[in-house]
C-alpha cells in the first residue's frame, strides 16, 4: 500500500466507522490494532440500537437520531461490500408501561411525532396487540419503531472486510502516516485520566449472555433495566451489567441476576438455554457523550472515543463527521462532543 492518507488506531466500532467513511471517499486508509477488529467492547453480543427518550431535546439526541436514520442504508452498503451480514434490522422495541405512566408516555409520543420528523413512532399500546409481549402490570406497553438491532461482533467483521475490499489495510502494528485518529477506547481514556487532574472518563464493565431462543423478527424488549435483543441468527442476547468497580473481566453472579430478571420480564426466555457469556469494558466519558475532535494528548491528531452503550447507534454519523474533519478540515462536531466537554 502507498503511504496512507489516514491512520486509524483502534479497530472497534468508532475506528472502523471512521476508516470506512474515509475509504468510501477515496482516501488511502490503514487501521492499526494489536488485537484485531472488534477485539474489545465492540466485539460484544447485544447490539441494541435504541434511541434516547424523545424529550429534553439536545445536540446529542439530534445527532443520534440522524445516525439511527442513516443506519439501514449504511449497514446495507457494508453488507454488499463485504458479503457478510452485520445482523441489522429495524425491528422496534417494546417496554412495559410503568403503573401510572400513561400520561408521561403519551407526552413523549407527542414529542416523538415532532422530534422524530415522522420517521418513527413512540406510542402506548395494549400488550395483547403483540406476539410474546413483556409482562406488564397494566397490560400496556410502549412501542417505538425507531429501535434497531445488529450483532456487534459480526458488524465489526463486516466493516473490516468491507474496508479491505476498498483497498484499506488492517494490521496489528505500524507507524502513523497522514492524518491520525485514536479510537482506542478504554485504554485511551485511562491515558487521558493519567494526564489530567480529574477523571476524563472510565471503562465500565458489562456482562451479557446469548440464549438459544429463535425469534429473529421480534421487537426488542427493554424491561427491568435489561435489553433483550433477538438476533437474525436464531439467538437472543441479554445485557447488560454496568460495573464501575470490577476486578478483571471474569463472568460472575451479576450476569446470573440479569438473566433471571430477563426471564421474569419476558416469558419466552423462561426455558431458553445460555449458550455464551461475554464481558467487556465499554469506554464512558465524563460527559457521557462521545468524545470527537482534536486529541488532547497528541498535537495535530484526533480522537473518537466514548461510545459506551450507544457506540453502534452513533457510528454512521460519527464516521461522517470525523471524515469531514480528517479529509476536508470541516468541523461539524456538536459542542457537547468535543474533548473539552469532558476535560
Amino acid at each position: 500500500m502507498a503511504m496512507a492518507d489516514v491512520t486509524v488506531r483502534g479497530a472497534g466500532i468508532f475506528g472502523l466507522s471512521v476508516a470506512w467513511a474515509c475509504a468510501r471517499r477515496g482516501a488511502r486508509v490503514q487501521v492499526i490494532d494489536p488485537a484485531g477488529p472488534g477485539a474489545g467492547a465492540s466485539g460484544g453480543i447485544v447490539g441494541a440500537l435504541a434511541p434516547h427518550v424523545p424529550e429534553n431535546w439536545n445536540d446529542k439526541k439530534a445527532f443520534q437520531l440522524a445516525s439511527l436514520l442513516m443506519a439501514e442504508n449504511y449497514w446495507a452498503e457494508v453488507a454488499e461490500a463485504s458479503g457478510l451480514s452485520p445482523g441489522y434490522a429495524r425491528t422496534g422495541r417494546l417496554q412495559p408501561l410503568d403503573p401510572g405512566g400513561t400520561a408521561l408516555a403519551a407526552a413523549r409520543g407527542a414529542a416523538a411525532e415532532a422530534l422524530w420528523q415522522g420517521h418513527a413512532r413512540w406510542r402506548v399500546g395494549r400488550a395483547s396487540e403483540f406476539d410474546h409481549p413483556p409482562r406488564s402490570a397494566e397490560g400496556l406497553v410502549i412501542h417505538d419503531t425507531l429501535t434497531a438491532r445488529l450483532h456487534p461482533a459480526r458488524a465489526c467483521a463486516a466493516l473490516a472486510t468491507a474496508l479491505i475490499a476498498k483497498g484499506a489495510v488492517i494490521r496489528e502494528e505500524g507507524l502513523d502516516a497522514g492524518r491520525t485518529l485514536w479510537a482506542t477506547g478504554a485504554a485511551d481514556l485511562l491515558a487521558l485520566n493519567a494526564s489530567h487532574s480529574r477523571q476524563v472518563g472510565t471503562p465500565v464493565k458489562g456482562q451479557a449472555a446469548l440464549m438459544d431462543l429463535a425469534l429473529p423478527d421480534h421487537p426488542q424488549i427493554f424491561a427491568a433495566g435489561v435489553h433483550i435483543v433477538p438476533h437474525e441468527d436464531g439467538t437472543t442476547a441479554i445485557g447488560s451489567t454496568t460495573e464501575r468497580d470490577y476486578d478483571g473481566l471474569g463472568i460472575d453472579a451479576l450476569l446470573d441476576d440479569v438473566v433471571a430478571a430477563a426471564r421474569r420480564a419476558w416469558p419466552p426466555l423462561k426455558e431458553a438455554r445460555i449458550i455464551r457469556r461475554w464481558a467487556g469494558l465499554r469506554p464512558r466519558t465524563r460527559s457521557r457523550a462521545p468524545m470527537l475532535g482534536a486529541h488532547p494528548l497528541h498535537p495535530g491528531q484526533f480522537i473518537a472515543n466514548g461510545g459506551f452503550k450507544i457506540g453502534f447507534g452513533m457510528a454512521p454519523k460519527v464516521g461522517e463527521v470525523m471524515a469531514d474533519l480528517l479529509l476536508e478540515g470541516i468541523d461539524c462536531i456538536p459542542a457537547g462532543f468535543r474533548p473539552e466537554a469532558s476535560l
Side-chain angles (χ1 to χ4, degrees):
M1 179 180 178
M3 185 70 71
D5 300 312
V6 173
T7 297
V8 175
R9 292 197 169 271
I13 184 56
F14 275 6
L16 292 171
S17 65
V18 175
W20 175 243
C22 291
R24 287 180 68 252
R25 299 186 192 191
R28 297 165 296 178
V29 177
Q30 65 170 344
V31 179
I32 301 172
D33 192 316
S42 296
I45 56 178
V46 180
L49 309 187
H52 291 291
V53 174
E55 63 184 9
N56 302 323
W57 205 242
N58 56 29
D59 285 346
K60 179 180 178 181
K61 293 185 177 185
F63 189 102
Q64 187 205 42
L65 173 64
S67 194
L68 290 173
L69 294 176
M70 293 169 62
E72 184 170 7
N73 290 336
Y74 180 92
W75 290 110
E77 184 176 351
V78 170
E80 183 177 0
S82 67
L84 300 174
S85 173
Y88 176 86
R90 191 167 140 183
T91 50
R93 176 179 57 174
L94 300 175
Q95 305 175 64
L97 185 69
D98 293 333
T102 304
L104 177 59
R108 288 172 171 171
E113 289 290 330
L115 297 170
W116 291 357
Q117 306 160 24
H119 294 291
R121 295 186 63 200
W122 170 295
R123 69 177 183 92
V124 175
R126 300 207 64 81
S128 57
E129 295 177 37
F130 302 93
D131 294 332
H132 310 299
R135 297 187 190 279
S136 171
E138 297 182 347
L140 299 173
V141 294
I142 299 166
H143 178 222
D144 86 73
T145 61
L146 183 55
T147 296
R149 63 106 210 272
L150 51 65
H151 190 293
R154 294 182 179 186
C156 286
L159 266 173
T161 303
L163 277 163
I164 292 169
K166 280 284 188 185
V169 173
I170 301 176
R171 50 169 59 104
E172 294 182 358
E173 58 184 24
L175 300 176
D176 294 341
R179 296 291 184 97
T180 297
L181 172 88
W182 291 76
T184 54
D188 213 10
L189 288 184
L190 294 175
L192 286 163
N193 288 344
S195 66
H196 288 79
S197 59
R198 63 176 179 175
Q199 190 176 74
V200 178
T202 184
V204 178
K205 179 182 175 182
Q207 298 182 53
L210 203 61
M211 316 291 284
D212 67 348
L213 175 65
L215 286 171
D217 300 319
H218 197 280
Q220 287 177 47
I221 306 293
F222 182 70
V226 178
H227 292 279
I228 303 170
V229 184
H231 284 302
E232 73 173 4
D233 65 355
T235 63
T236 295
I238 298 173
S240 61
T241 62
T242 298
E243 304 169 51
R244 294 192 64 172
D245 297 318
Y246 54 87
D247 182 15
L249 284 178
I251 306 292
D252 57 34
L254 290 176
L255 179 56
D256 294 332
D257 294 342
V258 168
V259 171
R263 284 179 164 147
R264 288 192 298 269
W266 198 37
L269 284 171
K270 185 177 180 181
E271 303 299 330
R273 180 175 58 93
I274 298 175
I275 55 178
R276 185 184 171 198
R277 299 170 187 259
W278 178 90
L281 295 181
R282 299 161 298 179
R284 186 178 74 183
T285 67
R286 188 175 62 84
S287 71
R288 301 198 178 197
M291 181 185 293
L292 309 175
H295 200 296
L297 299 182
H298 303 287
Q301 299 184 355
F302 302 87
I303 188 170
N305 205 325
F308 191 37
K309 296 180 180 181
I310 57 174
F312 280 86
M314 292 285 207
K317 184 73 170 172
V318 166
E320 290 303 314
V321 299
M322 291 308 297
D324 286 342
L325 186 59
L326 288 163
L327 300 180
E328 302 177 43
I330 297 172
D331 187 344
C332 299
I333 299 168
F337 289 17
R338 298 178 186 280
E340 49 266 33
S342 292
L343 298 180

